[in-house]
Short mmCIF file of all heavy atoms in Angstrom, two decimals:
data_model
loop_
_atom_site.label_atom_id
_atom_site.label_comp_id
_atom_site.label_asym_id
_atom_site.label_seq_id
_atom_site.Cartn_x
_atom_site.Cartn_y
_atom_site.Cartn_z
N MET A 1 1.39 -26.99 -16.09
CA MET A 1 0.73 -26.41 -14.93
C MET A 1 1.48 -25.19 -14.44
O MET A 1 2.71 -25.22 -14.41
CB MET A 1 0.67 -27.47 -13.85
CG MET A 1 -0.69 -27.43 -13.10
SD MET A 1 -0.83 -28.78 -11.89
CE MET A 1 -0.20 -27.92 -10.45
N LYS A 2 0.76 -24.19 -14.05
CA LYS A 2 1.35 -22.98 -13.58
C LYS A 2 1.77 -23.14 -12.12
O LYS A 2 0.95 -23.62 -11.31
CB LYS A 2 0.37 -21.82 -13.70
CG LYS A 2 0.99 -20.60 -14.32
CD LYS A 2 -0.04 -19.61 -14.81
CE LYS A 2 -1.05 -19.20 -13.72
NZ LYS A 2 -1.80 -17.95 -14.12
N PRO A 3 3.00 -22.78 -11.78
CA PRO A 3 3.39 -22.82 -10.36
C PRO A 3 2.59 -21.82 -9.54
O PRO A 3 2.22 -20.78 -10.03
CB PRO A 3 4.86 -22.51 -10.39
CG PRO A 3 5.09 -21.76 -11.62
CD PRO A 3 4.08 -22.23 -12.61
N VAL A 4 2.35 -22.17 -8.31
CA VAL A 4 1.58 -21.29 -7.44
C VAL A 4 2.51 -20.54 -6.50
O VAL A 4 3.32 -21.14 -5.80
CB VAL A 4 0.54 -22.11 -6.60
CG1 VAL A 4 -0.15 -21.21 -5.66
CG2 VAL A 4 -0.40 -22.82 -7.54
N TYR A 5 2.44 -19.22 -6.57
CA TYR A 5 3.18 -18.39 -5.65
C TYR A 5 2.19 -17.77 -4.66
O TYR A 5 1.51 -16.81 -5.02
CB TYR A 5 3.93 -17.30 -6.36
CG TYR A 5 4.94 -17.81 -7.38
CD1 TYR A 5 4.67 -17.74 -8.69
CD2 TYR A 5 6.14 -18.35 -6.92
CE1 TYR A 5 5.60 -18.21 -9.64
CE2 TYR A 5 7.08 -18.86 -7.82
CZ TYR A 5 6.79 -18.77 -9.19
OH TYR A 5 7.66 -19.26 -10.11
N PRO A 6 2.13 -18.29 -3.44
CA PRO A 6 1.07 -17.79 -2.53
C PRO A 6 1.25 -16.33 -2.19
O PRO A 6 0.30 -15.66 -1.81
CB PRO A 6 1.27 -18.67 -1.27
CG PRO A 6 2.59 -19.31 -1.40
CD PRO A 6 2.94 -19.35 -2.86
N LEU A 7 2.48 -15.77 -2.32
CA LEU A 7 2.68 -14.38 -1.98
C LEU A 7 2.68 -13.48 -3.17
O LEU A 7 2.93 -12.27 -3.05
CB LEU A 7 4.03 -14.22 -1.22
CG LEU A 7 4.03 -14.82 0.19
CD1 LEU A 7 5.43 -14.71 0.78
CD2 LEU A 7 3.03 -14.20 1.09
N ARG A 8 2.39 -13.99 -4.34
CA ARG A 8 2.39 -13.15 -5.54
C ARG A 8 1.13 -12.37 -5.63
O ARG A 8 0.02 -12.89 -5.50
CB ARG A 8 2.55 -14.01 -6.77
CG ARG A 8 2.45 -13.19 -8.04
CD ARG A 8 2.94 -13.94 -9.24
NE ARG A 8 4.39 -13.96 -9.31
CZ ARG A 8 5.04 -14.36 -10.37
NH1 ARG A 8 4.42 -14.79 -11.47
NH2 ARG A 8 6.36 -14.35 -10.40
N ARG A 9 1.28 -11.07 -5.87
CA ARG A 9 0.09 -10.21 -6.05
C ARG A 9 0.30 -9.45 -7.32
O ARG A 9 1.43 -9.11 -7.73
CB ARG A 9 -0.04 -9.20 -4.90
CG ARG A 9 -0.30 -9.77 -3.54
CD ARG A 9 -1.69 -10.37 -3.45
NE ARG A 9 -2.00 -10.94 -2.16
CZ ARG A 9 -1.64 -12.18 -1.80
NH1 ARG A 9 -0.99 -12.95 -2.64
NH2 ARG A 9 -1.95 -12.61 -0.62
N THR A 10 -0.81 -9.16 -8.01
CA THR A 10 -0.73 -8.30 -9.19
C THR A 10 -0.65 -6.88 -8.71
O THR A 10 -0.89 -6.56 -7.53
CB THR A 10 -2.00 -8.46 -10.05
OG1 THR A 10 -3.12 -8.02 -9.27
CG2 THR A 10 -2.22 -9.90 -10.49
N CYS A 11 -0.31 -5.97 -9.62
CA CYS A 11 -0.25 -4.55 -9.29
C CYS A 11 -1.59 -4.05 -8.80
O CYS A 11 -1.68 -3.22 -7.89
CB CYS A 11 0.22 -3.73 -10.52
SG CYS A 11 1.97 -3.93 -10.82
N LYS A 12 -2.63 -4.55 -9.43
CA LYS A 12 -3.99 -4.12 -9.03
C LYS A 12 -4.26 -4.54 -7.58
O LYS A 12 -4.81 -3.75 -6.78
CB LYS A 12 -5.00 -4.79 -9.99
CG LYS A 12 -6.30 -4.04 -10.07
CD LYS A 12 -7.17 -4.69 -11.08
CE LYS A 12 -8.64 -4.30 -10.77
NZ LYS A 12 -9.58 -5.15 -11.53
N GLU A 13 -3.91 -5.76 -7.26
CA GLU A 13 -4.12 -6.23 -5.85
C GLU A 13 -3.22 -5.47 -4.92
O GLU A 13 -3.62 -5.12 -3.78
CB GLU A 13 -3.82 -7.73 -5.78
CG GLU A 13 -4.87 -8.57 -6.46
CD GLU A 13 -4.40 -10.02 -6.69
OE1 GLU A 13 -3.19 -10.27 -6.74
OE2 GLU A 13 -5.24 -10.89 -6.84
N ALA A 14 -2.00 -5.24 -5.33
CA ALA A 14 -1.04 -4.53 -4.45
C ALA A 14 -1.52 -3.13 -4.15
O ALA A 14 -1.48 -2.70 -3.00
CB ALA A 14 0.34 -4.52 -5.06
N SER A 15 -2.03 -2.43 -5.17
CA SER A 15 -2.45 -1.07 -4.94
C SER A 15 -3.73 -1.06 -4.06
O SER A 15 -3.91 -0.19 -3.25
CB SER A 15 -2.72 -0.31 -6.24
OG SER A 15 -3.54 -1.07 -7.08
N ALA A 16 -4.59 -2.09 -4.24
CA ALA A 16 -5.78 -2.20 -3.39
C ALA A 16 -5.33 -2.37 -1.95
O ALA A 16 -5.93 -1.82 -1.01
CB ALA A 16 -6.65 -3.35 -3.83
N LEU A 17 -4.28 -3.19 -1.71
CA LEU A 17 -3.73 -3.42 -0.36
C LEU A 17 -3.18 -2.13 0.22
O LEU A 17 -3.35 -1.82 1.40
CB LEU A 17 -2.68 -4.51 -0.39
CG LEU A 17 -3.17 -5.95 -0.53
CD1 LEU A 17 -1.99 -6.90 -0.68
CD2 LEU A 17 -4.01 -6.32 0.64
N LEU A 18 -2.46 -1.34 -0.64
CA LEU A 18 -1.90 -0.08 -0.15
C LEU A 18 -2.98 0.86 0.30
O LEU A 18 -2.82 1.55 1.31
CB LEU A 18 -1.06 0.56 -1.28
CG LEU A 18 0.30 -0.07 -1.53
CD1 LEU A 18 0.92 0.48 -2.82
CD2 LEU A 18 1.22 0.15 -0.36
N ILE A 19 -4.10 0.86 -0.44
CA ILE A 19 -5.19 1.76 -0.05
C ILE A 19 -5.88 1.25 1.18
O ILE A 19 -6.17 2.01 2.14
CB ILE A 19 -6.20 1.87 -1.25
CG1 ILE A 19 -5.49 2.63 -2.38
CG2 ILE A 19 -7.45 2.61 -0.78
CD1 ILE A 19 -6.26 2.55 -3.67
N ALA A 20 -6.09 -0.07 1.26
CA ALA A 20 -6.74 -0.66 2.43
C ALA A 20 -5.92 -0.44 3.70
O ALA A 20 -6.45 -0.22 4.77
CB ALA A 20 -6.95 -2.17 2.22
N ARG A 21 -4.58 -0.41 3.49
CA ARG A 21 -3.68 -0.22 4.64
C ARG A 21 -3.86 1.13 5.27
O ARG A 21 -3.51 1.31 6.44
CB ARG A 21 -2.23 -0.38 4.15
CG ARG A 21 -1.23 -0.64 5.19
CD ARG A 21 0.12 -0.79 4.62
NE ARG A 21 0.56 0.37 3.90
CZ ARG A 21 1.79 0.58 3.38
NH1 ARG A 21 2.65 -0.38 3.47
NH2 ARG A 21 2.07 1.66 2.74
N GLU A 22 -4.39 2.10 4.51
CA GLU A 22 -4.62 3.43 5.06
C GLU A 22 -5.74 3.37 6.12
O GLU A 22 -5.76 4.22 7.01
CB GLU A 22 -5.03 4.40 3.96
CG GLU A 22 -3.97 4.56 2.90
CD GLU A 22 -2.74 5.38 3.43
OE1 GLU A 22 -2.91 6.52 3.82
OE2 GLU A 22 -1.63 4.84 3.46
N ASP A 23 -6.64 2.41 5.96
CA ASP A 23 -7.86 2.39 6.81
C ASP A 23 -7.75 1.40 7.93
O ASP A 23 -8.36 1.54 8.96
CB ASP A 23 -9.08 2.07 5.97
CG ASP A 23 -9.40 3.22 4.99
OD1 ASP A 23 -9.08 4.34 5.30
OD2 ASP A 23 -9.97 2.88 3.92
N ARG A 24 -7.07 0.28 7.67
CA ARG A 24 -7.07 -0.79 8.67
C ARG A 24 -5.76 -1.55 8.58
O ARG A 24 -5.05 -1.47 7.62
CB ARG A 24 -8.24 -1.77 8.34
CG ARG A 24 -8.14 -2.40 6.99
CD ARG A 24 -9.37 -3.22 6.62
NE ARG A 24 -9.37 -3.54 5.17
CZ ARG A 24 -8.75 -4.61 4.68
NH1 ARG A 24 -8.07 -5.43 5.47
NH2 ARG A 24 -8.79 -4.85 3.40
N ALA A 25 -5.46 -2.26 9.71
CA ALA A 25 -4.27 -3.09 9.75
C ALA A 25 -4.48 -4.31 8.88
O ALA A 25 -5.53 -4.92 8.92
CB ALA A 25 -3.99 -3.48 11.17
N LEU A 26 -3.50 -4.61 8.06
CA LEU A 26 -3.60 -5.80 7.21
C LEU A 26 -3.07 -7.02 7.95
O LEU A 26 -2.23 -6.93 8.83
CB LEU A 26 -2.72 -5.60 5.96
CG LEU A 26 -3.08 -4.46 5.02
CD1 LEU A 26 -2.04 -4.37 3.92
CD2 LEU A 26 -4.47 -4.62 4.47
N PRO A 27 -3.64 -8.22 7.59
CA PRO A 27 -3.08 -9.42 8.15
C PRO A 27 -1.64 -9.57 7.74
O PRO A 27 -1.23 -9.08 6.67
CB PRO A 27 -3.95 -10.53 7.51
CG PRO A 27 -5.07 -9.85 6.82
CD PRO A 27 -4.74 -8.42 6.64
N TRP A 28 -0.84 -10.26 8.54
CA TRP A 28 0.61 -10.29 8.27
C TRP A 28 0.91 -10.91 6.91
O TRP A 28 1.87 -10.53 6.23
CB TRP A 28 1.39 -10.99 9.37
CG TRP A 28 1.13 -12.48 9.45
CD1 TRP A 28 0.18 -13.10 10.23
CD2 TRP A 28 1.83 -13.49 8.72
NE1 TRP A 28 0.25 -14.47 10.02
CE2 TRP A 28 1.26 -14.75 9.13
CE3 TRP A 28 2.86 -13.51 7.81
CZ2 TRP A 28 1.68 -15.95 8.60
CZ3 TRP A 28 3.31 -14.74 7.31
CH2 TRP A 28 2.72 -15.95 7.68
N VAL A 29 0.06 -11.86 6.43
CA VAL A 29 0.29 -12.49 5.16
C VAL A 29 0.20 -11.41 4.03
O VAL A 29 1.02 -11.39 3.10
CB VAL A 29 -0.75 -13.59 4.88
CG1 VAL A 29 -0.46 -14.28 3.55
CG2 VAL A 29 -0.77 -14.58 5.99
N GLU A 30 -0.77 -10.52 4.17
CA GLU A 30 -0.93 -9.50 3.16
C GLU A 30 0.18 -8.51 3.27
O GLU A 30 0.64 -7.99 2.23
CB GLU A 30 -2.30 -8.77 3.35
CG GLU A 30 -3.49 -9.70 3.15
CD GLU A 30 -3.56 -10.30 1.75
OE1 GLU A 30 -2.82 -9.84 0.86
OE2 GLU A 30 -4.35 -11.22 1.57
N ARG A 31 0.61 -8.13 4.46
CA ARG A 31 1.74 -7.22 4.57
C ARG A 31 2.99 -7.79 3.96
O ARG A 31 3.76 -7.12 3.31
CB ARG A 31 2.04 -6.93 6.07
CG ARG A 31 0.99 -6.05 6.72
CD ARG A 31 1.57 -5.31 7.91
NE ARG A 31 2.14 -6.25 8.90
CZ ARG A 31 1.48 -6.72 9.93
NH1 ARG A 31 0.24 -6.34 10.14
NH2 ARG A 31 2.04 -7.52 10.77
N LEU A 32 3.20 -9.12 4.19
CA LEU A 32 4.36 -9.78 3.59
C LEU A 32 4.24 -9.80 2.06
O LEU A 32 5.21 -9.49 1.35
CB LEU A 32 4.48 -11.18 4.19
CG LEU A 32 5.72 -11.97 3.81
CD1 LEU A 32 6.99 -11.31 4.35
CD2 LEU A 32 5.64 -13.39 4.34
N ALA A 33 3.10 -10.17 1.56
CA ALA A 33 2.87 -10.24 0.12
C ALA A 33 3.09 -8.86 -0.52
O ALA A 33 3.69 -8.74 -1.58
CB ALA A 33 1.43 -10.75 -0.15
N LEU A 34 2.63 -7.82 0.19
CA LEU A 34 2.82 -6.48 -0.29
C LEU A 34 4.30 -6.13 -0.33
O LEU A 34 4.79 -5.54 -1.31
CB LEU A 34 2.07 -5.52 0.64
CG LEU A 34 1.83 -4.12 0.19
CD1 LEU A 34 1.15 -4.04 -1.17
CD2 LEU A 34 1.06 -3.32 1.23
N ARG A 35 5.01 -6.48 0.68
CA ARG A 35 6.44 -6.16 0.71
C ARG A 35 7.20 -6.90 -0.41
O ARG A 35 8.08 -6.31 -1.06
CB ARG A 35 7.06 -6.54 2.08
CG ARG A 35 8.35 -5.89 2.24
CD ARG A 35 8.92 -5.79 3.68
NE ARG A 35 8.12 -6.27 4.79
CZ ARG A 35 8.73 -6.90 5.80
NH1 ARG A 35 10.02 -7.15 5.83
NH2 ARG A 35 8.00 -7.27 6.86
N VAL A 36 6.82 -8.17 -0.64
CA VAL A 36 7.42 -8.89 -1.75
C VAL A 36 7.11 -8.24 -3.05
O VAL A 36 8.03 -8.05 -3.91
CB VAL A 36 6.90 -10.39 -1.74
CG1 VAL A 36 7.30 -11.08 -3.02
CG2 VAL A 36 7.44 -11.11 -0.48
N HIS A 37 5.89 -7.79 -3.24
CA HIS A 37 5.54 -7.17 -4.47
C HIS A 37 6.27 -5.84 -4.67
O HIS A 37 6.80 -5.56 -5.76
CB HIS A 37 4.02 -6.94 -4.55
CG HIS A 37 3.58 -6.35 -5.85
ND1 HIS A 37 3.23 -7.08 -6.96
CD2 HIS A 37 3.50 -5.04 -6.27
CE1 HIS A 37 2.96 -6.29 -7.97
NE2 HIS A 37 3.08 -5.04 -7.56
N LEU A 38 6.31 -5.05 -3.62
CA LEU A 38 7.00 -3.74 -3.74
C LEU A 38 8.47 -3.91 -4.03
O LEU A 38 9.08 -3.02 -4.69
CB LEU A 38 6.83 -2.95 -2.42
CG LEU A 38 5.43 -2.43 -2.14
CD1 LEU A 38 5.34 -1.84 -0.76
CD2 LEU A 38 4.99 -1.41 -3.18
N ALA A 39 9.05 -5.02 -3.60
CA ALA A 39 10.48 -5.24 -3.89
C ALA A 39 10.70 -5.60 -5.35
O ALA A 39 11.80 -5.35 -5.90
CB ALA A 39 10.99 -6.34 -2.96
N MET A 40 9.69 -6.18 -5.99
CA MET A 40 9.88 -6.64 -7.38
C MET A 40 9.32 -5.66 -8.42
O MET A 40 9.60 -5.76 -9.58
CB MET A 40 9.12 -7.98 -7.60
CG MET A 40 9.44 -9.09 -6.71
SD MET A 40 8.55 -10.58 -7.19
CE MET A 40 6.85 -9.94 -7.38
N CYS A 41 8.52 -4.75 -7.95
CA CYS A 41 7.74 -3.90 -8.89
C CYS A 41 8.32 -2.47 -8.98
O CYS A 41 8.91 -1.98 -8.03
CB CYS A 41 6.30 -3.84 -8.37
SG CYS A 41 5.24 -2.95 -9.54
N GLN A 42 8.19 -1.88 -10.16
CA GLN A 42 8.66 -0.52 -10.37
C GLN A 42 7.55 0.47 -10.03
O GLN A 42 7.80 1.53 -9.45
CB GLN A 42 9.03 -0.34 -11.85
CG GLN A 42 10.18 -1.20 -12.30
CD GLN A 42 11.52 -0.55 -11.93
OE1 GLN A 42 11.73 0.63 -12.21
NE2 GLN A 42 12.35 -1.27 -11.25
N ALA A 43 6.33 0.16 -10.46
CA ALA A 43 5.25 1.14 -10.39
C ALA A 43 4.70 1.28 -8.99
O ALA A 43 4.38 2.39 -8.54
CB ALA A 43 4.16 0.76 -11.34
N CYS A 44 4.56 0.17 -8.26
CA CYS A 44 3.83 0.20 -6.97
C CYS A 44 4.54 1.02 -5.91
O CYS A 44 3.93 1.73 -5.16
CB CYS A 44 3.47 -1.18 -6.50
SG CYS A 44 2.16 -1.91 -7.58
N PRO A 45 5.89 0.95 -5.79
CA PRO A 45 6.55 1.78 -4.80
C PRO A 45 6.29 3.28 -5.08
O PRO A 45 6.16 4.06 -4.15
CB PRO A 45 8.04 1.45 -4.95
CG PRO A 45 8.05 0.08 -5.52
CD PRO A 45 6.85 0.03 -6.41
N ARG A 46 6.20 3.62 -6.36
CA ARG A 46 5.91 5.01 -6.72
C ARG A 46 4.47 5.39 -6.23
O ARG A 46 4.28 6.46 -5.70
CB ARG A 46 5.98 5.19 -8.25
CG ARG A 46 6.55 6.48 -8.67
CD ARG A 46 6.72 6.60 -10.17
NE ARG A 46 7.58 5.53 -10.68
CZ ARG A 46 7.52 5.05 -11.94
NH1 ARG A 46 6.64 5.49 -12.79
NH2 ARG A 46 8.36 4.11 -12.34
N PHE A 47 3.55 4.45 -6.46
CA PHE A 47 2.19 4.69 -6.01
C PHE A 47 2.15 4.77 -4.46
O PHE A 47 1.42 5.63 -3.93
CB PHE A 47 1.33 3.49 -6.49
CG PHE A 47 -0.11 3.62 -6.02
CD1 PHE A 47 -0.89 4.70 -6.44
CD2 PHE A 47 -0.66 2.66 -5.21
CE1 PHE A 47 -2.21 4.80 -6.03
CE2 PHE A 47 -1.99 2.75 -4.78
CZ PHE A 47 -2.75 3.85 -5.19
N GLU A 48 2.95 3.99 -3.81
CA GLU A 48 2.99 4.04 -2.32
C GLU A 48 3.47 5.40 -1.87
O GLU A 48 2.92 5.95 -0.95
CB GLU A 48 3.95 2.95 -1.76
CG GLU A 48 3.95 2.90 -0.28
CD GLU A 48 4.99 1.92 0.29
OE1 GLU A 48 6.04 1.71 -0.37
OE2 GLU A 48 4.75 1.43 1.38
N ARG A 49 4.51 5.96 -2.53
CA ARG A 49 5.00 7.27 -2.19
C ARG A 49 3.93 8.35 -2.41
O ARG A 49 3.78 9.24 -1.58
CB ARG A 49 6.24 7.62 -3.00
CG ARG A 49 7.54 7.20 -2.34
CD ARG A 49 8.73 7.94 -2.85
NE ARG A 49 8.93 7.71 -4.28
CZ ARG A 49 9.49 6.63 -4.78
NH1 ARG A 49 9.97 5.71 -4.01
NH2 ARG A 49 9.64 6.50 -6.09
N GLN A 50 3.17 8.17 -3.50
CA GLN A 50 2.08 9.13 -3.71
C GLN A 50 1.07 9.10 -2.62
O GLN A 50 0.55 10.11 -2.16
CB GLN A 50 1.41 8.85 -5.05
CG GLN A 50 2.19 9.38 -6.26
CD GLN A 50 1.57 8.90 -7.57
OE1 GLN A 50 0.44 8.40 -7.59
NE2 GLN A 50 2.30 9.05 -8.64
N LEU A 51 0.71 7.88 -2.19
CA LEU A 51 -0.25 7.66 -1.10
C LEU A 51 0.25 8.34 0.17
O LEU A 51 -0.47 9.01 0.90
CB LEU A 51 -0.51 6.22 -0.82
CG LEU A 51 -1.60 5.56 -1.66
CD1 LEU A 51 -1.70 4.11 -1.20
CD2 LEU A 51 -2.93 6.24 -1.45
N LEU A 52 1.55 8.16 0.49
CA LEU A 52 2.13 8.72 1.70
C LEU A 52 2.10 10.24 1.63
O LEU A 52 1.74 10.89 2.63
CB LEU A 52 3.55 8.21 1.92
CG LEU A 52 3.68 6.74 2.26
CD1 LEU A 52 5.14 6.32 2.34
CD2 LEU A 52 3.00 6.46 3.58
N THR A 53 2.44 10.80 0.46
CA THR A 53 2.39 12.26 0.29
C THR A 53 0.98 12.76 0.51
O THR A 53 0.76 13.75 1.20
CB THR A 53 2.86 12.62 -1.13
OG1 THR A 53 4.08 12.01 -1.37
CG2 THR A 53 3.07 14.12 -1.27
N MET A 54 0.04 12.03 -0.06
CA MET A 54 -1.38 12.41 0.05
C MET A 54 -1.78 12.37 1.53
O MET A 54 -2.50 13.26 2.01
CB MET A 54 -2.20 11.47 -0.77
CG MET A 54 -3.40 12.13 -1.43
SD MET A 54 -3.98 11.01 -2.75
CE MET A 54 -4.62 9.67 -1.77
N ARG A 55 -1.39 11.29 2.21
CA ARG A 55 -1.79 11.16 3.62
C ARG A 55 -1.18 12.30 4.43
O ARG A 55 -1.85 12.79 5.32
CB ARG A 55 -1.33 9.80 4.15
CG ARG A 55 -1.83 9.57 5.56
CD ARG A 55 -1.60 8.19 6.03
NE ARG A 55 -0.17 7.84 5.94
CZ ARG A 55 0.30 6.60 6.22
NH1 ARG A 55 -0.53 5.67 6.50
NH2 ARG A 55 1.56 6.39 6.19
N ASN A 56 0.09 12.62 4.17
CA ASN A 56 0.68 13.73 4.94
C ASN A 56 -0.05 15.01 4.66
O ASN A 56 -0.32 15.80 5.60
CB ASN A 56 2.15 13.92 4.50
CG ASN A 56 3.00 12.81 5.05
OD1 ASN A 56 2.60 12.10 5.98
ND2 ASN A 56 4.16 12.60 4.47
N ALA A 57 -0.44 15.29 3.40
CA ALA A 57 -1.18 16.49 3.08
C ALA A 57 -2.53 16.50 3.75
O ALA A 57 -2.93 17.53 4.33
CB ALA A 57 -1.36 16.56 1.56
N MET A 58 -3.20 15.33 3.80
CA MET A 58 -4.49 15.25 4.50
C MET A 58 -4.30 15.46 5.97
O MET A 58 -5.16 16.11 6.59
CB MET A 58 -5.10 13.85 4.27
CG MET A 58 -5.65 13.63 2.86
SD MET A 58 -6.96 14.80 2.48
CE MET A 58 -8.34 14.09 3.36
N GLY A 59 -3.24 14.93 6.54
CA GLY A 59 -3.01 15.12 7.96
C GLY A 59 -2.84 16.58 8.34
O GLY A 59 -3.37 17.07 9.31
N GLN A 60 -2.11 17.28 7.44
CA GLN A 60 -1.88 18.72 7.68
C GLN A 60 -3.18 19.48 7.55
O GLN A 60 -3.46 20.36 8.36
CB GLN A 60 -0.85 19.25 6.69
CG GLN A 60 0.56 18.99 7.15
CD GLN A 60 1.55 19.35 6.06
OE1 GLN A 60 1.20 20.03 5.08
NE2 GLN A 60 2.81 18.86 6.24
N TRP A 61 -3.96 19.07 6.57
CA TRP A 61 -5.23 19.73 6.37
C TRP A 61 -6.14 19.56 7.59
O TRP A 61 -6.77 20.49 8.04
CB TRP A 61 -5.91 19.16 5.10
CG TRP A 61 -7.25 19.75 4.79
CD1 TRP A 61 -7.52 20.96 4.28
CD2 TRP A 61 -8.48 19.11 4.99
NE1 TRP A 61 -8.88 21.11 4.18
CE2 TRP A 61 -9.47 19.99 4.62
CE3 TRP A 61 -8.85 17.85 5.53
CZ2 TRP A 61 -10.84 19.68 4.71
CZ3 TRP A 61 -10.21 17.54 5.57
CH2 TRP A 61 -11.16 18.45 5.21
N ARG A 62 -6.20 18.32 8.09
CA ARG A 62 -6.98 18.06 9.29
C ARG A 62 -6.49 18.85 10.48
O ARG A 62 -7.27 19.36 11.24
CB ARG A 62 -6.89 16.53 9.63
CG ARG A 62 -8.12 15.80 9.16
CD ARG A 62 -8.01 14.32 9.59
NE ARG A 62 -8.30 13.48 8.45
CZ ARG A 62 -7.72 12.31 8.23
NH1 ARG A 62 -6.79 11.85 8.99
NH2 ARG A 62 -8.08 11.62 7.14
N HIS A 63 -5.17 18.96 10.53
CA HIS A 63 -4.56 19.72 11.62
C HIS A 63 -5.03 21.16 11.56
O HIS A 63 -5.35 21.76 12.61
CB HIS A 63 -3.04 19.60 11.50
CG HIS A 63 -2.31 20.32 12.56
ND1 HIS A 63 -2.28 19.96 13.88
CD2 HIS A 63 -1.52 21.44 12.47
CE1 HIS A 63 -1.57 20.84 14.58
NE2 HIS A 63 -1.09 21.69 13.75
N TYR A 64 -5.05 21.73 10.39
CA TYR A 64 -5.45 23.13 10.21
C TYR A 64 -6.90 23.33 10.63
O TYR A 64 -7.26 24.23 11.28
CB TYR A 64 -5.26 23.60 8.78
CG TYR A 64 -3.83 23.72 8.39
CD1 TYR A 64 -3.36 23.28 7.15
CD2 TYR A 64 -2.87 24.28 9.28
CE1 TYR A 64 -2.04 23.39 6.80
CE2 TYR A 64 -1.55 24.40 8.92
CZ TYR A 64 -1.12 23.95 7.67
OH TYR A 64 0.16 24.02 7.34
N THR A 65 -7.77 22.35 10.21
CA THR A 65 -9.20 22.53 10.48
C THR A 65 -9.52 22.32 11.91
O THR A 65 -10.57 22.73 12.41
CB THR A 65 -10.06 21.62 9.60
OG1 THR A 65 -9.62 20.29 9.77
CG2 THR A 65 -9.97 22.01 8.13
N ASP A 66 -8.65 21.61 12.66
CA ASP A 66 -8.92 21.38 14.09
C ASP A 66 -8.70 22.64 14.91
O ASP A 66 -9.25 22.78 15.98
CB ASP A 66 -7.95 20.29 14.61
CG ASP A 66 -8.51 18.90 14.31
OD1 ASP A 66 -9.63 18.84 13.83
OD2 ASP A 66 -7.76 17.95 14.48
N GLU A 67 -7.94 23.55 14.37
CA GLU A 67 -7.56 24.74 15.14
C GLU A 67 -8.64 25.83 15.07
O GLU A 67 -9.42 25.88 14.14
CB GLU A 67 -6.22 25.27 14.66
CG GLU A 67 -5.12 24.38 15.25
CD GLU A 67 -3.76 24.79 14.74
OE1 GLU A 67 -3.64 25.25 13.64
OE2 GLU A 67 -2.78 24.62 15.48
ZN1 ZN B 1 3.15 -3.51 -8.83
#
């Protein structure tokens, strides 16, 4: 029998959570699961950085168009 890790997420799930986090606040369980995954994973922290860079770029773009 496979042990159950309630906080284990696949990379696919983790990246979906990272994207969802841009739009809405995640339940604390999901935030915790995401943090656990990011601590164990190589690829997802990189993806998170890309998302943050993209969000910053979008924020600047919005800032420019507001003026
Ligand atoms: Zn991952």
